[in-house]
Amino acid sequence: MPEITATGNNATLFNSGVMVIQPSNCTFQLLMDHINEITSYNGGDQGYLNEIFTWWHRIPKHMNFLKHFWEGDNEAVKAKKTELFGADPPILYVLHYLGLKPWLCFRDYDCNWNNPVMREFASDVAHARWWKVHDKMPDNLQSYCLLRSRLKAGLEWDRRQAEKANFDDGHWRRNITDPRLNTCFEKFCFWESMLLHWGEKNQKNSNAVPATRSSS
């Protein structure tokens, strides 16, 4: 019997985000012994495990539903996925966030919209779903979701690139109301100046809001 049960990622590969495994000291030792010999196709655990376990069982995809709109998805399929992302009560057991994670974006919208490589992962409905969970977390756990200055600069850079490309979804036009924009927990808080290192030369028309140091 296969030692791993998982949902499909694409074609014959499984996604390692949620797995049911059969514990085995022998298998664990095999994995450790060959970790420097077998190349992971994506540089991570998923690629390595797929090289080892070419025979595996499938569990229903609702157990680990990937937040992704495939190139071949028609409008009906996209609408069904969006319905699943926002269903209340939930239908999915696990919603697996691909691309830029919600806690690495501003809460106003899914920042995957602003990156041409990541747009296939963009869903405002799924994004809002995660933030509902965030708001129910204790304050001490929410603090781990604060944004570093470098990340704020990167988000603004992507927004400006989306503006230059005039992406028709228009997310780049939205004002940021997320209070984390103005919250800083680092020694260096002036993330706007970091944009110079991304090649931005003219910031006169920048809509960026200066970050201020948090009192807590």
Side-chain angles (χ1 to χ4, degrees), residues 8-215:
N9 193 78
N10 58 299
T12 60
L13 304 177
F14 61 82
N15 186 280
S16 63
V18 175
M19 300 181 294
V20 180
I21 63 173
Q22 177 183 337
S24 167
N25 288 330
C26 179
T27 301
F28 176 74
Q29 193 58 51
L30 180 147
L31 293 172
M32 297 303 295
D33 289 344
H34 297 281
I35 197 167
N36 293 320
E37 302 170 11
I38 299 175
T39 302
S40 165
Y41 75 81
N42 65 353
D45 63 292
Q46 180 169 301
Y48 181 63
L49 292 173
N50 270 280
E51 294 292 337
I52 301 292
F53 299 100
T54 57
W55 185 37
W56 49 280
H57 274 312
R58 290 180 182 268
I59 54 176
K61 60 183 180 180
H62 282 45
M63 302 290 290
N64 180 25
F65 200 90
L66 305 183
K67 173 180 169 270
H68 186 288
F69 295 98
W70 300 103
E71 185 176 346
D73 287 352
N74 57 37
E75 292 305 313
V77 171
K78 292 179 180 179
K80 182 60 179 178
K81 287 184 177 180
T82 300
E83 179 185 346
L84 290 172
F85 294 159
D88 190 15
I91 296 175
L92 304 176
Y93 288 90
V94 173
L95 177 52
H96 188 143
Y97 287 85
L98 301 180
L100 297 169
K101 310 299 185 182
W103 54 92
L104 300 180
C105 300
F106 293 119
R107 67 181 298 155
D108 300 84
Y109 63 85
D110 189 335
C111 59
N112 286 291
W113 287 110
N114 289 339
N115 189 314
V117 178
M118 300 292 187
R119 286 170 64 84
E120 63 193 33
F121 305 122
S123 168
D124 287 332
V125 173
H127 186 74
R129 187 59 174 267
W130 187 87
W131 281 99
K132 287 182 180 179
V133 175
H134 167 274
D135 292 344
K136 294 179 181 179
M137 293 164 51
D139 290 343
N140 64 316
L141 293 182
Q142 290 186 17
S143 65
Y144 288 101
C145 299
L146 294 176
L147 297 173
R148 294 187 175 276
S149 297
R150 183 176 178 84
L151 183 55
K152 294 174 187 176
L155 291 173
E156 173 60 13
W157 171 259
D158 281 350
R159 189 203 66 77
R160 294 183 185 186
Q161 296 306 108
E163 181 179 11
K164 289 179 181 178
N166 196 28
F167 288 161
D168 56 10
D169 57 274
H171 284 78
W172 50 269
R173 294 190 182 95
R174 298 188 185 182
N175 292 325
I176 300 302
T177 62
D178 189 336
R180 296 179 305 153
L181 174 63
N182 298 316
T183 302
C184 182
F185 59 96
E186 302 169 287
K187 292 182 178 180
F188 185 84
C189 299
F190 302 103
W191 57 267
E192 300 93 326
S193 64
M194 294 181 181
L195 288 168
L196 294 172
H197 300 288
W198 268 274
E200 196 76 357
K201 296 181 180 179
N202 183 2
Q203 300 187 60
K204 291 182 179 180
N205 296 322
S206 172
N207 293 322
V209 179
T212 56
R213 185 176 296 277
S214 172
S215 59

